[in-house]
Amino acid sequence: NLPGPFYAWYLRNMYLENNLVKPNCLTVCGESIDLRSITLPAYIYGSREDHIVPIHSAYATTQVLTGDKRFVMGASGHIAGVINPPAKNKRSHWIRDDGQLPETLEAWTEGAQEHAGSWWTDWASWLQQHSGKLIPAPKTYGKGSSFKVIEPAPGRYVKQKA
């Protein structure tokens, strides 16, 4: 549901010209974007038979971002490879235990090992390593906050027609 001019801009810049990965080539709201300046940890997932995000495109992200990265390749396509939860015990995924991210997917695959089941458990473990200490969820919301409860959910703004 993107407006036509924005959709055309998006397709041209993200797909046709691939400007997002070119340092300072893309400007959004007056700010130049250079993905190489992002040093946050990144868990990069790609599905082996994905028709929306081809696996080589997903893997190419490992060569652009500069922070701590982990790449995992899942079996199947865009939907089945992503949404199968661990309890289903379906599919499989590949990981390189040495953490190496060579220049090509083919080189990465040579050192990767297949693991049965969902990649979600690996992701959960990775998230835990990159998270702070666990704190209990608040029992009520708005207490001591400058953001007070306006009205019961879902709120009138949800019911407004566009």
Side-chain angles (χ1 to χ4, degrees):
N1 293 335
L2 300 175
F6 176 67
Y7 186 58
W9 178 91
Y10 174 76
L11 289 177
R12 181 178 64 257
N13 283 281
M14 303 300 172
Y15 293 91
L16 182 63
E17 298 173 8
N18 203 18
N19 288 331
L20 184 60
V21 298
K22 299 173 187 171
N24 300 309
C25 186
L26 192 63
T27 302
V28 176
C29 297
E31 295 291 328
S32 295
I33 298 174
D34 182 357
L35 293 178
R36 287 164 177 80
S37 67
I38 299 173
T39 57
L40 297 171
Y43 188 95
I44 304 161
Y45 171 86
S47 293
R48 192 176 55 183
E49 290 119 25
D50 196 326
H51 65 291
I52 297 172
V53 182
I55 188 64
H56 285 83
S57 297
Y59 186 78
T61 306
T62 67
Q63 306 302 302
V64 177
L65 299 178
T66 57
D68 176 33
K69 300 168 285 204
R70 180 168 183 80
F71 181 76
V72 175
M73 180 174 70
S76 201
H78 190 80
I79 303 300
V82 173
I83 65 171
N84 274 302
K88 296 276 186 182
N89 203 25
K90 290 184 175 183
R91 309 291 185 256
S92 61
H93 60 284
W94 288 260
I95 297 172
R96 272 189 78 131
D97 292 329
D98 64 6
Q100 295 296 307
L101 297 169
E103 196 170 313
T104 67
L105 174 67
E106 290 74 21
W108 180 87
T109 304
E110 287 175 16
Q113 294 80 36
E114 185 175 8
H115 299 268
S118 173
W119 59 275
W120 286 21
T121 52
D122 181 72
W123 182 46
S125 174
W126 184 88
L127 283 173
Q128 190 172 32
Q129 294 168 24
H130 291 84
S131 299
K133 68 175 192 158
L134 289 177
I135 58 172
K139 302 231 183 286
T140 62
Y141 299 97
K143 184 178 180 184
S145 168
S146 59
F147 303 106
K148 303 295 181 194
V149 175
I150 299 169
E151 60 196 36
R156 66 182 169 271
Y157 67 93
V158 173
K159 298 174 183 177
Q160 288 180 348
K161 296 200 186 281

